[in-house]
Amino acid sequence: MEFTPLARPTSTEKTQHQNAAIKQSSTDETLEKNNRRKEIQFKAIHGLVIAFFLWIFALHALGVLFFTKGFLLTRLVLDHKSECAIPPIELPSQSPRSYSDGCWYPKTFDKAVVIIIDALRYDFTVPVHQDAHYFDNALEVLHEKALREPQNAFLLPFIADPPTTTLQRLKGLTTGTLPTFIDAGSNFAGTAIEEDNLVAQLRDAGKTIVHLGDDTWHSLFPGYFDANLTHAYDSFNVWDLHTVDDGVTEHLLPLLNAGSDKWDVLFGHFLGLDHAGHRYGPDHSATQEKLRQMDRVIRNIISALDDKTLLVVMGDHGMDTKGDHGGESDDEVEAALWMYSKKGVFGHGHNGLLEPPRTAKERPVGQIDLVPTLSLLLGMPIPFNNLGSPIAEAFVGPKQPQWEKLVSVNALSAAQIQRYQKEYSAVRGLSKDVFAVAHDLWDTVLNDRQSKVSNMDLFAAFSRYQSENLRVCRSLWARFDVPRMICGISLLASALVVLGFYARATTPFRAEDTPLFLRHIATCAVLGLALGSFSGLVNTSLGLLDSCLLGASGGSIIGFAYTTFRIPRGYPLPFPRSTWGWLSILLTILQSIGFASNSFTIWEDEILLFFLGTFASLALIAALRQRVTTDRTLGLLQSSIFLALSRVASLSRLCREEQMPYCRSTYYSSSSSSTSSYWQLFIPYTVSLLLPSFIKGYYKSTRSYAGSAILWIGVILRMSLLASAIYWTLDAADDNDWLEIDKDTLRFVKTTLAQLVLGIALVAGTAYYVSATPCINIEIPAEANGDADPQAGKRSKAMNVLGYGNMHGSRYFLFVTNWIVAVVLFQKPMGGGAIGILTLQILALLEIVDSNDLSRSAIGPVMLGILGNFHFFKTGHQASLSSIQWESAFIALKTLRYPWSPILVTLNTFGAQIITTVAVPLVVLWKQPPRKTGLLGSVAMAVATFILYFAVINLATTMWAGWLRRHLMLYRIFCPRFMTGAATLMVIDLVGILVAIGGFRWNLTSVNQVFGWA
């Protein structure tokens, strides 16, 4: 056998190899330096882009702030105090004006026990012949005593003034004044009541006041209650039905049985009924048990009562068919009032009706009427700002109607109202015409007293005067500051114009202009701040702080405008250049105009469904016009999927009262429940089974189901969704007592499981996303290994990168799935199904955008915005306070914790919009190769367009709320929609800036570290 020796390389060949190696090394070093320089440049511009969007957020926040300060002002509060020795009018038989006998009127009772049963709706107290609901015939003692002992007790509908949140109701129940809508925002962070009120009058009289129950009282009346006898409990944990009620009962009955020498007035506030309503709805066995418990407690209190003590039982508000409250539907405002005394001083002689009203529409009294009634019964002065009237049943007497007593107590309350009206008009500078009718009625009453008119007619005259005053005050109460409202609208409109130019007039390669924008914005903001400071010092009507904020924001907007029109290349006008662009404008404008109609606002979910259907139909037509068969087939399939899923998602509905009877709620087990049906528990398991598989299918269509995607989508995503499904099964087991284990143990397991899922989604998931490699798989063909040609002296450098064409989109979508898991956890089972459908619709939308080459069109971000708003309704929400699912704050927490509890409620409420916000960069990134240039600018444009859609919606709802500020439905429809729009915009801004744009940085960095910077 002959061997051929290897030839030794010559010196020339060695030199050539060395030079090649040096050249390659130099090239690699240059390439590395170039990549490093481009990476640093990208990170710097990326940070400036975030700073620019934070400026947009500041403009939005200031616009909402200024409009809110003008639109939702708190009423003018007078600091005057009623005094025991100075009655508002002299009576023929005047009281001795002392606390011991009665200040303005002889007192009837020495002591009082005031029981507040939170959310005690009037129909809960009225017996029915057949139990049609769980709440029927469960609380019988109130009606029973009022019917059998009319001289000892009376039961009346007790109408609350909206908003029906507990804090605002307590203010009305103790001051006798009307609440303002803006106070609803502080329902869980109340501030002390500084105006004259019944509790303050009792304290000034030296009374020992004891409070048991809801700790909201201590926010309103700090230091008023006896520290040794008072016991307060956390009021916000709506999942806890028993702690507060058991605590009140534990301390209340011993205080009554031990004698009343330790206290004078005792307030007991039970929360279990309200919490049962929030958690289960009124038509549930838990609500029934709470009502039966209250029945037992009241009977025990009656047994321990003496004849010198007044017992008052009342609801501060009602609850709607789902157990919620906050608005002004009949069920929410119709509470119950019951008074009882063993002294036998009550009566019905003024109307002759001994039986309690059958419905809340018969003989109702206002909740503000409690204040003058209790004040005079206990011998206290009526608080200065009171607008209520004494309740006739408490003063008319048990036998023949004592009209003289009714005239006396109504004369005192009317005279106090007249005194308040005089001071209020002087401070506000109101013309005499405002209270002209009331003045005439007052003069008539005074003349009637002098002319010896019958007491019955005098009583009627005083009642007419008090009703007229209340009517005028209701019309004046919302004091709109139109200049501030205009300032707020102007800021929002200016921010919208800025976004319009930035989003639709720039090109993907203009992100480098951001430093120039920011420099001029900052310079002009400083100049505006100086001008605003000077203006605030010269003209104090607006205030120094507001002048500074307006000056700085106005100056910054001028700085942006200056840069836009002076930049060398110039910016074109932001008008669309395609049919899809005009469609996005048309849909946005139509939705914005519609908010001027209360019917449109009520049926907004149906309008959005129509918009989605319109888009899908046009996408189908566009697919039919595709010339390439593959594109045509893909377009038809994805458009059909998008349309079908929209119809399926529409099956999840939570109806608002105004939609009845043309709407049927399906989100909960029934229209009167806040719990899910048993069959709905299968929805989360279906989502955990199918959703990862469908996502996997989309990944496989681009050969991207590789690398990081296999572990995250195939294993972690599925397991996390399964854990969420198990959580809701355990929750149902807790609600229905399916498992014979300790409740505390079960709740510990639930909370731990929720915390685990949340940790995987937002902590581990984010860490995994940051460090993950692109979702690609590299295949080296046989010839690359030299196997195809054994005689070849060189190896081929060819390789196949599977997933190359969707490298950016497939990797970034992993980030979106983190937020999908987090949001699904905080949705009820039906809501989890809606989020699953939303995820598939996002993927279908991305395919439609890609097949029609619409990555730079506005239609992608706008349709994501419409999808987010549509699924806001499909996850059990409405533009109303009563639809807020407060119990979501305790899914991953045992107690109320700031700021985490509000964040969890935000995840529940705006979960759909949050997911679509995080998904916005995918409009640009889906099916894009790794070395695509200008991606930062394109992503910034897409996010700006998405925010622009919500900014237009917010501006529209703001303007219509301001324009319709005297509309009958303002606080029922237009104001809640404005608040929803403003809150949504704030959430979208922050998530879009910090999560979407911020998360895009890690995506681009990871991909470019593998393939180099373009």
Side-chain angles (χ1 to χ4, degrees), residues 75-95:
R75 60 183 172 80
L76 178 63
V77 175
L78 303 182
D79 57 3
H80 298 65
K81 306 286 184 183
S82 294
E83 298 182 20
C84 183
I86 307 177
I89 192 173
E90 294 292 335
L91 298 177
S93 55
Q94 190 67 49
S95 172

Side-chain angles (χ1 to χ4, degrees), residues 456-521:
M456 183 185 301
D457 293 336
L458 271 178
F459 168 68
F462 278 121
S463 297
R464 285 194 298 271
Y465 170 75
Q466 292 172 97
S467 298
E468 171 62 18
N469 265 286
L470 186 59
R471 183 195 66 79
V472 174
C473 286
R474 287 186 191 277
S475 65
L476 290 174
W477 228 241
R479 183 188 176 189
F480 299 109
D481 188 341
V482 177
R484 273 193 171 85
M485 291 166 61
I486 293 175
C487 288
I489 292 175
S490 300
L491 282 177
L492 292 173
S494 300
L496 190 147
V497 173
V498 169
L499 271 174
F501 270 92
Y502 189 84
R504 306 316 310 164
T506 57
T507 67
F509 305 98
R510 301 284 281 277
E512 64 270 16
D513 292 337
T514 304
L516 183 61
F517 276 114
L518 288 177
R519 183 163 62 249
H520 289 156
I521 287 171

Side-chain angles (χ1 to χ4, degrees), residues 358-595:
R358 298 298 304 171
T359 70
K361 303 297 187 293
E362 304 172 26
R363 302 177 353 239
V365 296
Q367 290 196 351
I368 58 175
D369 296 342
L370 179 70
V371 172
T373 303
L374 277 183
S375 297
L376 296 176
L377 288 175
L378 296 175
M380 296 291 110
I382 299 175
F384 191 87
N385 295 336
N386 166 73
L387 294 173
S389 306
I391 298 172
E393 281 80 355
F395 299 97
V396 70
K399 298 179 181 178
Q400 294 297 322
Q402 300 179 23
W403 293 107
E404 183 178 356
K405 291 182 63 176
L406 286 179
V407 169
S408 296
V409 295
N410 278 275
L412 288 170
S413 64
Q416 176 54 45
I417 291 173
Q418 198 274 338
R419 185 158 62 177
Y420 167 75
Q421 175 209 103
K422 181 179 179 181
E423 294 294 334
Y424 186 82
S425 299
V427 174
R428 280 281 306 273
L430 299 177
S431 67
K432 294 183 179 179
D433 295 337
V434 175
F435 286 98
V437 176
H439 286 313
D440 292 342
L441 288 174
W442 181 250
D443 292 339
T444 301
V445 170
L446 295 181
N447 292 332
D448 288 346
R449 290 187 70 201
Q450 298 296 327
S451 59
K452 304 298 182 181
V453 173
S454 69
N455 285 326
M456 183 185 301
D457 293 336
L458 271 178
F459 168 68
F462 278 121
S463 297
R464 285 194 298 271
Y465 170 75
Q466 292 172 97
S467 298
E468 171 62 18
N469 265 286
L470 186 59
R471 183 195 66 79
V472 174
C473 286
R474 287 186 191 277
S475 65
L476 290 174
W477 228 241
R479 183 188 176 189
F480 299 109
D481 188 341
V482 177
R484 273 193 171 85
M485 291 166 61
I486 293 175
C487 288
I489 292 175
S490 300
L491 282 177
L492 292 173
S494 300
L496 190 147
V497 173
V498 169
L499 271 174
F501 270 92
Y502 189 84
R504 306 316 310 164
T506 57
T507 67
F509 305 98
R510 301 284 281 277
E512 64 270 16
D513 292 337
T514 304
L516 183 61
F517 276 114
L518 288 177
R519 183 163 62 249
H520 289 156
I521 287 171
T523 301
C524 293
V526 173
L527 295 176
L529 177 63
L531 183 62
S533 301
F534 176 76
S535 176
L537 293 173
V538 174
N539 183 10
T540 59
S541 60
L542 192 60
L544 179 60
L545 178 60
D546 287 352
S547 297
C548 291
L549 292 175
L550 276 178
S553 56
S556 65
I557 293 170
I558 293 174
F560 176 87
Y562 172 81
T563 310
T564 300
F565 294 106
R566 291 296 300 272
I567 204 164
R569 294 185 297 273
Y571 276 72
L573 293 176
F575 293 120
R577 300 170 181 83
S578 68
T579 303
W580 291 107
W582 283 110
L583 176 64
S584 64
I585 289 180
L586 178 64
L587 294 179
T588 305
I589 291 178
L590 286 177
Q591 187 177 0
S592 302
I593 294 175
F595 290 120

Side-chain angles (χ1 to χ4, degrees), residues 918-992:
V918 180
V920 170
L922 286 169
V923 174
V924 175
L925 301 178
W926 195 252
K927 292 189 176 181
Q928 294 295 336
R931 294 181 62 82
K932 176 80 172 181
T933 57
L935 281 179
L936 176 58
S938 297
V939 168
M941 285 176 57
V943 173
T945 304
F946 183 79
I947 295 176
L948 179 63
Y949 164 76
F950 284 96
V952 173
I953 299 301
N954 175 62
L955 178 63
T957 56
T958 302
M959 292 177 64
W960 290 126
W963 181 259
L964 301 170
R965 60 187 181 274
R966 297 295 181 186
H967 195 281
L968 180 64
M969 292 292 179
L970 174 66
Y971 289 124
R972 189 164 188 164
I973 294 176
F974 298 111
C975 184
R977 188 59 186 88
F978 149 68
M979 297 173 70
T980 301
T984 304
L985 181 61
M986 297 298 102
V987 172
I988 292 305
D989 276 346
L990 290 176
V991 174

Side-chain angles (χ1 to χ4, degrees), residues 783-1012:
E783 59 270 16
N785 292 318
D787 297 336
D789 185 5
Q791 304 299 323
K794 295 182 180 180
R795 293 183 178 180
S796 172
K797 294 183 179 180
M799 64 178 66
N800 295 327
V801 182
L802 303 182
Y804 183 89
N806 192 23
M807 193 172 301
H808 284 290
S810 60
R811 189 188 184 282
Y812 184 84
F813 192 80
L814 298 179
F815 188 46
V816 179
T817 60
N818 297 341
W819 290 90
I820 291 171
V821 170
V823 171
V824 166
L825 172 66
F826 289 95
Q827 304 299 327
K828 297 289 179 71
M830 200 74 167
I835 296 299
I837 292 175
L838 171 62
T839 304
L840 297 180
Q841 286 188 285
I842 290 174
L843 289 169
L845 175 63
L846 296 176
E847 294 289 349
I848 294 172
V849 168
D850 175 71
S851 64
N852 292 279
D853 194 21
L854 299 173
S855 62
R856 292 207 58 233
S857 172
I859 193 64
V862 169
M863 289 312 302
L864 279 176
I866 293 176
L867 269 177
N869 281 341
F870 176 69
H871 284 277
F872 166 81
F873 296 102
K874 301 303 108 181
T875 51
H877 300 96
Q878 286 282 351
S880 61
L881 289 174
S882 60
S883 71
I884 299 176
Q885 299 171 22
W886 297 109
E887 65 273 18
S888 58
F890 300 95
I891 289 178
L893 296 172
K894 296 179 181 178
T895 59
L896 181 65
R897 293 183 182 177
Y898 290 100
W900 307 115
S901 296
I903 291 175
L904 299 186
V905 174
T906 301
L907 275 174
N908 169 272
T909 305
F910 304 107
Q913 288 105 327
I914 289 173
I915 290 174
T916 52
T917 306
V918 180
V920 170
L922 286 169
V923 174
V924 175
L925 301 178
W926 195 252
K927 292 189 176 181
Q928 294 295 336
R931 294 181 62 82
K932 176 80 172 181
T933 57
L935 281 179
L936 176 58
S938 297
V939 168
M941 285 176 57
V943 173
T945 304
F946 183 79
I947 295 176
L948 179 63
Y949 164 76
F950 284 96
V952 173
I953 299 301
N954 175 62
L955 178 63
T957 56
T958 302
M959 292 177 64
W960 290 126
W963 181 259
L964 301 170
R965 60 187 181 274
R966 297 295 181 186
H967 195 281
L968 180 64
M969 292 292 179
L970 174 66
Y971 289 124
R972 189 164 188 164
I973 294 176
F974 298 111
C975 184
R977 188 59 186 88
F978 149 68
M979 297 173 70
T980 301
T984 304
L985 181 61
M986 297 298 102
V987 172
I988 292 305
D989 276 346
L990 290 176
V991 174
I993 297 167
L994 302 178
V995 180
I997 298 179
F1000 164 72
R1001 167 179 172 169
W1002 303 107
N1003 194 78
L1004 191 66
T1005 302
S1006 174
V1007 172
N1008 287 347
Q1009 282 176 351
V1010 177
F1011 290 90

Side-chain angles (χ1 to χ4, degrees), residues 3-11 13-14 17:
F3 293 92
T4 303
L6 294 175
R8 296 174 61 88
T10 63
S11 58
E13 290 175 332
K14 285 184 177 181
H17 282 301

Side-chain angles (χ1 to χ4, degrees), residues 32 61 92 101 129 261 300 321 521 539 576 627 649-650 655 709 816 908 937:
E32 184 179 350
D101 299 318
H129 296 298
D261 57 325
N300 290 334
T321 55
I521 287 171
N539 183 10
R627 296 181 178 179
S650 67
C655 304
V816 179
N908 169 272

